[in-house]
Amino acid sequence: QVQLVESGGGLVQPGGSLRLSCAASGRRFSTNVMAWYRQAPGKQRELVAVITSGGNTNYADSVKGRFTISRDNAKNTVYLQMNSLKPEETAVYYCNADSYGIGYWGQGTQVTVSS
């Protein structure tokens, strides 16, 4: 069983930055593939970034060069640094853990990009 708690969302102006955190419970965090997804109103949930247990990363084309996913296995935490945010990136951001083929979700954190 894995429990995920996101934090760090909020209101930011276009061009601004935010760092999201996702704290995970349970053992074996270091073996989990961790990811961030987002869901805007009226749209499907989409993958933003993923990081493997070995630290390999992959990003959606729309965020490459602006977002960075990282993990601290000692703290059981995964991060998403978001720079140069755009209004269309307003969404609920969700943390996801894949633990031996079983997926777990956090409750989400709202990110609003607006002037």
Coordinates of all heavy atoms in Angstrom, one line a residue, residues 6-10 18-22 36 78-82 93-94 109-111:
E6 N 0.2 15.3 -2.0 CA 0.9 16.4 -2.8 C 0.7 17.7 -2.0 O -0.2 17.9 -1.2 CB 0.2 16.6 -4.1 CG 0.2 15.4 -5.0 CD -1.1 14.6 -5.0 OE1 -1.8 14.7 -4.0 OE2 -1.4 14.0 -6.0
S7 N 1.7 18.6 -2.3 CA 1.6 20.0 -1.7 C 2.4 20.9 -2.7 O 3.1 20.5 -3.6 CB 2.2 20.0 -0.3 OG 3.6 19.6 -0.4
G8 N 2.2 22.2 -2.5 CA 3.0 23.2 -3.2 C 2.2 23.9 -4.3 O 2.7 24.8 -4.9
G9 N 1.0 23.5 -4.5 CA 0.2 24.2 -5.5 C -0.2 25.6 -5.0 O 0.0 26.0 -3.9
G10 N -0.8 26.4 -5.9 CA -1.3 27.7 -5.6 C -1.5 28.6 -6.8 O -1.5 28.1 -7.9
L18 N 6.7 27.4 -9.7 CA 6.2 26.7 -8.5 C 7.0 25.4 -8.4 O 7.4 24.8 -9.4 CB 4.7 26.4 -8.6 CG 3.7 27.4 -8.3 CD1 2.3 26.9 -8.5 CD2 3.8 27.9 -6.8
R19 N 7.1 24.9 -7.1 CA 7.6 23.5 -6.9 C 6.6 22.7 -6.2 O 6.2 23.0 -5.1 CB 8.9 23.6 -6.2 CG 9.6 22.2 -6.1 CD 11.0 22.2 -5.5 NE 10.9 22.1 -4.0 CZ 11.8 21.5 -3.3 NH1 12.9 21.0 -3.9 NH2 11.7 21.5 -2.0
L20 N 6.2 21.6 -6.8 CA 5.3 20.7 -6.2 C 6.1 19.6 -5.5 O 7.1 19.2 -6.0 CB 4.3 20.1 -7.2 CG 3.5 21.0 -8.1 CD1 2.6 20.3 -9.0 CD2 2.8 22.0 -7.2
S21 N 5.5 19.1 -4.4 CA 6.1 18.0 -3.7 C 5.1 16.9 -3.5 O 3.9 17.2 -3.4 CB 6.6 18.4 -2.3 OG 7.6 19.4 -2.4
C22 N 5.5 15.7 -3.5 CA 4.7 14.5 -3.2 C 5.4 13.6 -2.3 O 6.4 13.0 -2.6 CB 4.4 13.8 -4.6 SG 3.5 12.2 -4.4
W36 N 4.1 12.6 -12.4 CA 3.2 13.7 -12.2 C 2.2 13.8 -13.4 O 2.7 13.7 -14.6 CB 3.9 15.1 -12.1 CG 4.6 15.3 -10.8 CD1 5.9 15.0 -10.5 CD2 4.0 15.7 -9.6 NE1 6.1 15.3 -9.2 CE2 5.0 15.8 -8.6 CE3 2.7 16.1 -9.2 CZ2 4.8 16.2 -7.3 CZ3 2.5 16.5 -7.9 CH2 3.5 16.6 -7.0
V78 N 8.9 13.0 -4.1 CA 9.2 13.4 -5.5 C 8.8 14.8 -5.7 O 7.8 15.3 -5.1 CB 8.5 12.4 -6.5 CG1 7.0 12.5 -6.4 CG2 8.9 12.7 -7.9
Y79 N 9.5 15.5 -6.6 CA 9.3 16.9 -6.8 C 9.0 17.2 -8.3 O 9.4 16.5 -9.1 CB 10.5 17.8 -6.4 CG 10.9 17.5 -4.9 CD1 11.9 16.6 -4.6 CD2 10.3 18.2 -3.9 CE1 12.3 16.4 -3.3 CE2 10.7 18.0 -2.6 CZ 11.7 17.1 -2.3 OH 12.1 16.9 -1.0
L80 N 8.3 18.3 -8.5 CA 8.1 18.8 -9.8 C 8.4 20.3 -9.8 O 7.6 21.1 -9.3 CB 6.7 18.6 -10.4 CG 6.5 19.0 -11.9 CD1 7.4 18.1 -12.8 CD2 5.1 18.9 -12.3
Q81 N 9.5 20.7 -10.3 CA 9.9 22.2 -10.4 C 9.3 22.7 -11.8 O 9.6 22.1 -12.8 CB 11.4 22.4 -10.4 CG 11.8 23.8 -10.6 CD 11.4 24.7 -9.5 OE1 11.5 24.3 -8.3 NE2 10.9 25.9 -9.8
M82 N 8.4 23.7 -11.7 CA 7.8 24.2 -12.9 C 8.2 25.6 -13.0 O 7.9 26.5 -12.2 CB 6.2 24.1 -12.7 CG 5.8 22.7 -12.4 SD 4.0 22.5 -12.3 CE 3.6 23.5 -10.9
Y93 N -2.9 19.0 -10.3 CA -1.7 18.2 -10.6 C -1.7 17.0 -9.6 O -1.9 17.2 -8.4 CB -0.4 19.0 -10.4 CG -0.2 19.9 -11.6 CD1 -1.0 21.0 -11.8 CD2 0.9 19.7 -12.5 CE1 -0.8 21.8 -12.9 CE2 1.1 20.5 -13.6 CZ 0.2 21.6 -13.8 OH 0.5 22.4 -14.9
Y94 N -1.5 15.8 -10.1 CA -1.6 14.6 -9.4 C -0.3 13.9 -9.4 O 0.4 13.8 -10.4 CB -2.7 13.7 -9.9 CG -4.1 14.2 -9.9 CD1 -4.6 14.9 -10.9 CD2 -4.9 13.9 -8.7 CE1 -5.9 15.4 -10.9 CE2 -6.2 14.4 -8.7 CZ -6.7 15.1 -9.7 OH -8.0 15.6 -9.7
T109 N -3.2 18.6 -6.3 CA -3.0 20.0 -5.8 C -3.3 20.9 -6.9 O -2.9 20.7 -8.0 CB -1.6 20.1 -5.2 OG1 -1.5 21.4 -4.6 CG2 -0.5 19.9 -6.3
Q110 N -4.0 22.0 -6.6 CA -4.5 22.9 -7.6 C -3.3 23.9 -8.0 O -2.8 24.5 -7.1 CB -5.7 23.7 -7.2 CG -6.2 24.8 -8.1 CD -6.8 24.2 -9.4 OE1 -7.6 23.3 -9.3 NE2 -6.4 24.8 -10.5
V111 N -3.1 24.1 -9.3 CA -2.2 25.1 -9.8 C -3.0 26.0 -10.7 O -3.6 25.5 -11.6 CB -1.0 24.4 -10.5 CG1 -0.2 25.5 -11.2 CG2 -0.1 23.6 -9.6

